[in-house]
C-alpha cells in the first residue's frame, strides 16, 4: 500500500467521472478512484497512466486503448474530438452548413462513438450523416467525395489489437477526401483542447442526424465493380477469402457478384464481424499466425490463392501455394503485391494518357523502375496515404504495409476491397493464358529486376527508447551495414527531396541497397526497412540476409 495519488491526478479523475456518460467506464473509474484513495499502488499507477497524458490528435486522428481517462479512447474523449472538429469546420468551411459523414466498423464501441459524434456535429449546426450500418473504411472515404462533404470521420482502429479503437478524419473540398495533414491536424487539435478545457461535455448541444441512404453503398459497389470486370479467365476460379472478423465480406461479396467473379470459399470462423477477434491475437494479416485458418481452409478447398482483408477492409493480403513454406502457403509481402498492382496500373496508364505512380519512401524502389519503364511520373512520399493520395497525377499508389490505392477517382485512400478486385482481375487475365500468380511474379523479375525487401522491428513498452535509439544513430552514424559501406545518409528531420520534416533516417549503401529507420506512426515500434536489387533471386536473398544481420547489429549497438 502506498500514499494517496497526487491531487492533480485524483482531481482530474473525479472531474472526468463527473462528465462521463458511459456506465461501463464510470464503474471502472469509480473503482480505480476508490482503490487509489485507499492507498493501493497499482490503482495509483493506473490513474497516473490514464490521466498523466492525453491521446494526441494528429494526422492519424486518434487511436488508443479503450477505457476511462484522457489517455484512452472513450465517449468523453470522442465527444471532445467531435466538438473540436465541428468548431474547425465551422471556421474554415465555405458552406453555411457543412456536411460531415460518419462511418464505423465492428469494434467495441465503434457504433456508440459514431452516434455520439453525429449528434454533436448536428448540435453544432452541421449537417451530420451517419452511414446506415457498420461498413468498411473505404466506403466512408468514398462517401466523403460522393456526398461532397466537408469532412468524414471513420471510427476504427483498423488492424490494431482488440482493446483499441480510433477516430480517423478525412477532409473534402480542396483536400479531395484525403486524410488530414498538417496544418489542419494542429488546428483541429487546438479546437479539441479548447473543448476539453471548458469542462463538462454534457453541456455540449446535440441534434438530430441523418441516416445515409443505401444508395451511397450502392454507388461504392458499382464504382468498385468497374475496377476489373471479370474476364473469361475468372470462370472456375477457386479461391479463399477471410474478413479477419471484420466488416469486409458483405460489401466485397456484392461487388464480386456485380463484377462477375465466382464467390470464394470463406474462412467461416472469421467471416462475421466480431470486435473480440477470438481466433487471432492480433487481427493483422502481417502478424504471425493471423492467416493460419486461411491456410487450413485453402488446403481443404485445394484453392489457387487466398485473399484477406484486415478488420476495416482498407488493407489487402494475398497468399499463394508454396510447398516450401511451413503451412504449404506463403503470404506475399506488401511490396510484392504493390509491384504487381503497380505494373497493372502502369500498363493501363501508358495506354490511356499517362499519369504517375506513387509509394511511401519505405516501400519498394521497384515501383520507380516500373514508372520509368512506361514513361510515367513517380513520387516517393512520407509514410501514409494522407501523403500518397496527394501525389500529383496519381493513378496508383501503395505502401508496403498492405495498403493499395487503385481507384483514386473513387477513393483517395488505401482500399483493400478495390485492391482485391484489381488482384482478381490480374489473376483472371493470367489464367486465360494458362499462367498463375507465381508466373506473373517471375515475369516481373525478368522485366524489371529482382527487388527484395525485408523489415526489422523493435516493439517497446517504453516509448522513450525509440527516441534514444534514433538519437544514438544520429550522434554516431554507421559507416557500414552488413559489411557494405554507407555512401550517404539522409536525415529527413532536416527536410529532404522537398518532403516535410519527419523522424526518418535513410541510408544509401555502396551496392545500391537501402536501409530506412523510422518510428511507427500507429504502434509502439521502431521499424527498419531493407531494400535490395539483385541479379537473381538467390543474389537478392543473399544481399538481403547480409544487410538484415547488419541492421540488427546496428539496433543492438544503439540500445547499448
Amino acid at each position: 500500500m502506498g500514499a494517496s495519488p497526487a491531487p492533480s491526478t485524483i482531481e482530474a479523475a473525479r472531474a472526468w467521472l463527473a462528465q462521463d456518460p458511459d456506465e461501463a467506464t464510470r464503474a471502472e473509474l469509480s473503482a480505480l478512484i476508490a482503490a487509489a484513495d485507499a492507498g493501493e499502488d497499482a490503482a495509483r499507477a493506473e490513474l497516473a497512466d490514464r490521466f498523466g497524458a492525453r491521446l494526441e490528435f494528429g494526422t492519424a486522428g486518434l487511436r488508443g486503448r479503450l477505457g476511462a481517462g484522457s489517455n484512452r479512447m472513450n465517449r468523453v474523449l470522442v465527444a471532445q474530438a467531435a466538438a473540436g472538429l465541428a468548431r474547425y469546420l465551422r471556421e474554415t468551411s465555405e458552406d453555411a452548413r457543412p456536411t460531415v459523414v460518419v462511418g464505423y466498423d465492428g469494434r467495441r464501441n465503434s457504433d456508440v462513438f459514431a452516434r455520439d459524434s453525429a449528434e454533436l456535429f448536428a448540435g453544432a449546426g452541421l449537417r451530420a450523416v451517419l452511414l446506415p450500418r457498420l461498413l468498411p473504411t473505404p466506403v466512408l472515404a468514398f462517401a466523403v467525395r460522393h456526398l461532397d462533404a466537408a469532412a468524414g470521420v471513420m471510427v476504427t482502429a483498423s488492424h490494431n489489437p482488440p482493446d483499441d479503437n480510433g477516430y480517423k478524419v478525412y477532409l473534402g473540398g480542396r483536400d479531395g477526401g484525403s486524410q488530414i495533414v498538417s496544418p489542419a491536424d494542429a488546428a483541429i487539435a487546438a479546437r479539441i483542447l479548447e473543448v476539453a478545457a471548458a469542462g463538462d461535455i454534457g453541456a455540449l448541444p446535440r441534434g438530430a442526424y441523418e441516416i445515409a441512404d443505401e444508395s451511397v453503398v450502392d454507388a461504392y459497389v458499382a464504382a468498385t465493380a468497374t475496377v476489373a470486370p471479370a474476364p473469361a479467365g475468372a470462370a472456375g476460379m477457386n479461391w479463399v477469402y477471410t474478413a479477419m472478423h471484420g466488416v469486409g465480406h458483405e460489401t466485397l461479396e456484392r461487388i464480386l457478384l456485380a463484377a462477375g467473379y465466382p464467390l470464394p470459399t470463406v474462412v467461416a470462423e472469421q467471416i462475421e464481424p466480431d470486435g473480440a477477434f477470438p481466433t487471432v491475437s492480433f487481427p493483422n494479416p502481417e502478424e504471425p499466425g493471423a492467416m493460419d485458418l486461411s491456410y487450413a481452409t485453402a488446403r481443404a478447398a485445394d484453392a489457387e490463392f487466398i485473399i484477406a482483408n484486415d478488420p476495416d477492409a482498407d488493407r489487402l493480403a494475398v497468399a499463394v501455394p508454396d510447398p516450401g513454406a511451413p503451412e504449404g502457403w506463403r503470404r506475399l509481402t506488401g511490396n510484392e503485391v504493390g509491384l504487381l498492382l503497380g505494373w497493372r496500373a502502369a500498363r493501363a496508364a501508358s495506354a490511356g494518357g499517362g499519369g504517375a505512380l506513387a509509394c511511401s519512401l519505405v516501400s519498394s524502389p521497384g515501383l520507380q523502375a516500373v514508372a520509368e519503364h512506361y514513361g510515367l511520373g513517380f513520387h516517393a512520399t512520407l509514410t501514409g496515404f494522407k501523403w500518397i493520395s496527394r501525389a500529383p497525377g496519381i493513378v496508383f499508389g501503395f505502401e508496403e504495409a498492405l495498403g493499395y490505392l487503385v481507384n483514386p477517382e473513387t477513393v483517395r485512400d488505401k482500399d483493400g476491397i478495390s485492391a482485391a478486385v484489381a488482384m482478381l482481375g490480374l489473376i483472371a487475365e493470367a489464367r486465360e493464358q494458362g499462367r498463375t500468380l507465381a508466373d506473373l511474379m517471375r515475369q516481373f523479375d525478368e522485366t524489371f529486376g529482382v527487388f527484395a525487401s525485408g523489415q526489422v522491428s523493435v516493439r517497446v513498452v517504453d516509448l522513450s527508447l525509440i527516441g534514444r535509439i534514433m538519437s544514438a544513430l544520429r550522434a554516431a552514424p554507421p559507416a557500414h551495414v552488413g559489411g557494405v559501406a554507407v555512401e550517404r545518409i539522409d536525415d529527413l528531420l532536416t527536410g529532404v527531396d522537398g518532403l516535410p520534416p519527419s523522424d526518418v533516417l535513410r541510408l544509401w549503401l555502396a551496392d545500391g541497397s537501402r536501409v530506412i529507420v523510422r518510428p511507427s506512426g500507429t504502434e509502439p515500434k521502431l521499424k527498419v526497412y531493407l531494400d535490395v536489387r539483385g541479379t537473381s533471386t538467390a543474389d537478392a536473398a543473399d544481399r538481403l540476409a547480409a544487410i538484415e544481420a547488419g541492421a540488427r547489429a546496428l539496433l543492438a549497438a544503439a540500445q547499448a
Side-chain angles (χ1 to χ4, degrees):
M1 306 288 278
S4 297
S8 59
T9 301
I10 199 70
E11 288 166 7
R14 289 194 172 112
W16 194 275
L17 181 64
Q19 62 179 323
D20 190 347
D22 188 303
E23 290 185 8
T25 48
R26 284 179 58 81
E28 170 189 305
L29 187 54
S30 294
L32 274 174
I33 291 172
D37 281 339
E40 293 186 13
D41 287 339
R44 290 186 63 221
E46 182 68 13
L47 284 177
D49 180 54
R50 290 172 181 246
F51 291 95
R54 181 181 178 88
L55 285 184
E56 289 189 19
F57 183 92
T59 55
L62 292 166
R63 194 175 291 188
R65 284 170 54 198
L66 291 163
S70 59
N71 200 26
R72 298 286 190 273
M73 284 294 298
N74 50 67
R75 293 181 68 186
V76 176
L77 195 81
V78 166
Q80 293 168 348
L85 176 59
R87 288 187 184 183
Y88 171 82
L89 294 173
R90 290 299 300 270
E91 293 170 5
T92 59
S93 177
E94 296 177 358
D95 296 333
R97 189 173 176 238
T99 296
V100 183
V101 58
V102 183
Y104 58 98
D105 68 3
R107 282 182 176 266
R108 287 195 297 126
N109 275 6
S110 285
D111 57 339
V112 176
F113 294 161
R115 286 193 294 271
D116 277 348
S117 296
E119 289 176 358
L120 288 161
F121 290 143
L126 310 183
R127 178 190 173 217
V129 181
L130 185 68
L131 291 185
R133 59 185 177 283
L134 51 87
L135 285 161
T137 291
V139 178
L140 181 279
F142 168 82
V144 174
R145 293 167 66 89
H146 185 71
L147 298 176
D148 195 24
V153 169
M154 183 68 192
V155 183
T156 178
S158 191
H159 59 289
N160 271 40
D163 287 337
D164 286 8
N165 214 326
Y167 203 75
K168 183 184 291 188
V169 178
Y170 298 81
L171 291 179
R174 62 178 177 270
D175 289 275
S178 293
Q179 293 180 55
I180 55 171
V181 294
S182 181
D185 60 331
I188 296 168
R191 302 299 176 272
I192 293 170
L193 291 177
E194 290 172 3
V195 174
D200 187 9
I201 62 163
L204 295 171
R206 294 181 178 240
Y209 55 84
E210 303 172 31
I211 300 292
D213 190 85
E214 278 293 327
S215 63
V216 175
V217 184
D218 295 342
Y220 173 81
V221 168
T224 307
T226 66
V227 167
M237 186 181 276
N238 177 17
W239 59 293
V240 162
Y241 172 76
T242 179
M244 206 145 292
H245 298 297
V247 296
H249 180 239
E250 178 199 13
T251 305
L252 177 63
E253 184 173 76
R254 290 184 59 191
I255 293 166
L256 295 174
L257 293 170
Y261 288 97
L263 297 180
T265 298
V266 302
V267 180
E269 302 93 328
Q270 298 178 336
I271 207 62
E272 295 297 329
D274 187 338
F277 304 104
T279 69
V280 290
S281 57
F282 206 118
N284 178 356
E286 291 183 295
E287 292 292 325
M291 297 278 290
D292 285 357
L293 283 174
S294 300
Y295 299 153
T297 303
R299 287 194 298 270
D302 195 24
E304 300 168 46
F305 59 92
I306 299 167
I307 282 181
N309 285 135
D310 70 335
D312 70 327
D314 65 349
R315 287 173 168 81
L316 169 77
V318 180
V320 295
D322 183 348
E327 299 282 345
W329 283 80
R330 180 176 77 87
R331 181 185 61 78
L332 304 186
T333 68
N335 281 323
E336 287 174 320
V337 174
L339 293 180
L340 288 174
L341 291 178
W343 185 19
R344 173 186 180 273
R347 291 197 299 268
S350 65
L357 308 181
C359 65
S360 62
L361 59 86
V362 298
S363 299
S364 175
L367 192 68
Q368 183 171 359
V370 173
E372 291 171 351
H373 181 88
Y374 286 96
L376 301 175
F378 173 75
H379 305 283
T381 75
L382 293 183
T383 302
F385 277 83
K386 55 185 174 285
W387 301 112
I388 295 169
S389 66
R390 288 177 164 83
I394 186 171
V395 296
F396 171 80
F398 91 97
E399 64 181 9
E400 50 73 42
L402 308 185
Y404 316 96
L405 191 164
V406 304
N407 198 10
E409 295 310 309
T410 301
V411 175
R412 288 275 167 157
D413 194 16
K414 59 183 175 291
D415 180 348
I417 294 179
S418 63
V421 175
M423 181 57 70
L424 289 171
L426 196 65
I427 295 170
E429 289 168 3
R431 288 175 96 247
E432 285 187 85
Q433 302 163 11
R435 298 191 298 160
T436 65
L437 195 52
D439 294 328
L440 289 182
M441 295 170 68
R442 282 190 288 271
Q443 185 183 354
F444 182 95
D445 291 348
E446 292 165 2
T447 306
F448 304 104
V450 182
F451 291 88
S453 302
Q455 189 178 130
V456 177
S457 294
V458 177
R459 184 177 286 272
V460 302
V461 175
D462 179 5
L463 287 175
S464 67
L465 176 60
I466 291 176
R468 292 199 296 272
I469 295 173
M470 295 298 291
S471 295
L473 292 174
R474 288 186 168 99
H480 297 82
V481 178
V484 183
V486 176
E487 284 196 337
R488 187 176 90 248
I489 299 178
D490 295 333
D491 186 346
L492 272 67
L493 270 182
T494 63
V496 175
D497 296 338
L499 297 170
S502 183
D503 190 11
V504 178
L505 289 171
R506 182 168 57 186
L507 286 62
W508 299 98
L509 308 189
D511 66 352
S513 300
R514 187 183 71 182
V515 177
I516 297 177
V517 188
R518 63 175 282 270
S520 170
T522 57
E523 300 175 81
K525 283 182 178 180
L526 182 73
K527 292 186 174 183
V528 182
Y529 303 82
L530 314 169
D531 287 286
V532 302
R533 186 176 187 176
T535 56
S536 66
T537 302
D539 177 55
D542 289 344
R543 290 171 184 261
L544 188 61
I547 66 167
E548 179 177 337
R552 292 186 184 279
L554 192 65
L555 290 177
Q559 295 177 69

